[in-house]
Amino acid sequence: MRTIFCATTLLLSAGSAFATSGIWCSAEDAAVKFQVEAGVTRGMGGPTFNFRGDLEILGRPVGDDLRKTVFEDSNLTQYWLDGKELRLLVYREHEVANTYSSVELTIVTKSSEEGTYDGRYSLAIHEGTADTGGDGMPAALTGKVSCGAE
């Protein structure tokens, strides 16, 4: 009986493995270094799970709370994946001494070949005390990004 139960469990878990895939993106340039990834369930609208990532804004001082950001499931606010495009919107707030700051990472790509997506990222940095973009706009960084999906 135990053998039948173990075999059934193994077959069911193998079946669910075929029902999932993954997405990932990364960029590294003079301004930022980041990588994000998530699992994607096929069917049921393709929800994501286990989203995570790391972002480092290279032009900020080492002790600055916005220099390094860790992303988790709740930070992936929107995503789009089809055969032509992969788009992600990632948002994270930071609170230090009752001052709120945030980073908003937008990734927009197009498929260059099956499973490979190339495009651009834009990163908006909202300072809690004063916007650093000059005229009330958040500081913004942009660059190239590479993504993949299976």
Side-chain angles (χ1 to χ4, degrees):
M1 186 64 152
R2 187 177 307 166
T3 304
I4 293 171
F5 177 74
C6 290
T8 303
T9 303
L10 180 62
L11 289 173
L12 289 175
S13 66
S16 64
F18 291 117
T20 61
S21 59
I23 56 173
W24 57 93
C25 295
S26 64
E28 185 170 354
D29 56 30
V32 301
K33 178 170 56 170
F34 70 83
Q35 61 182 25
V36 294
E37 59 187 26
V40 178
T41 302
R42 296 182 193 236
M44 296 175 42
T48 62
F49 60 93
N50 291 337
F51 177 78
R52 61 185 173 272
D54 297 300
L55 165 72
E56 183 174 4
I57 305 170
L58 301 174
R60 297 193 68 91
V62 173
D64 184 14
D65 289 326
L66 290 176
R67 181 175 172 96
K68 291 189 178 185
T69 301
V70 175
F71 297 121
E72 49 194 41
D73 267 333
S74 63
N75 301 125
L76 180 61
T77 59
Q78 296 180 27
Y79 101 102
W80 175 265
L81 173 64
D82 63 14
K84 299 175 189 170
E85 293 181 306
L86 170 61
R87 294 177 177 229
L88 303 173
L89 179 60
V90 185
Y91 178 79
R92 171 91 193 268
E93 288 185 341
H94 296 262
E95 178 185 4
V96 176
N98 294 325
T99 301
Y100 293 90
S101 301
S102 65
V103 293
E104 183 177 83
L105 176 64
T106 304
I107 298 172
V108 178
T109 65
K110 293 201 178 282
S111 178
S112 56
E113 59 184 68
E114 186 175 341
T116 304
Y117 297 81
D118 296 312
R120 310 257 329 143
Y121 74 84
S122 61
L123 178 67
I125 305 163
H126 301 271
E127 295 283 349
T129 54
D131 290 328
T132 58
D135 55 1
M137 300 299 292
L141 304 170
T142 60
K144 295 181 180 180
V145 64
S146 296
C147 299
E150 57 179 28

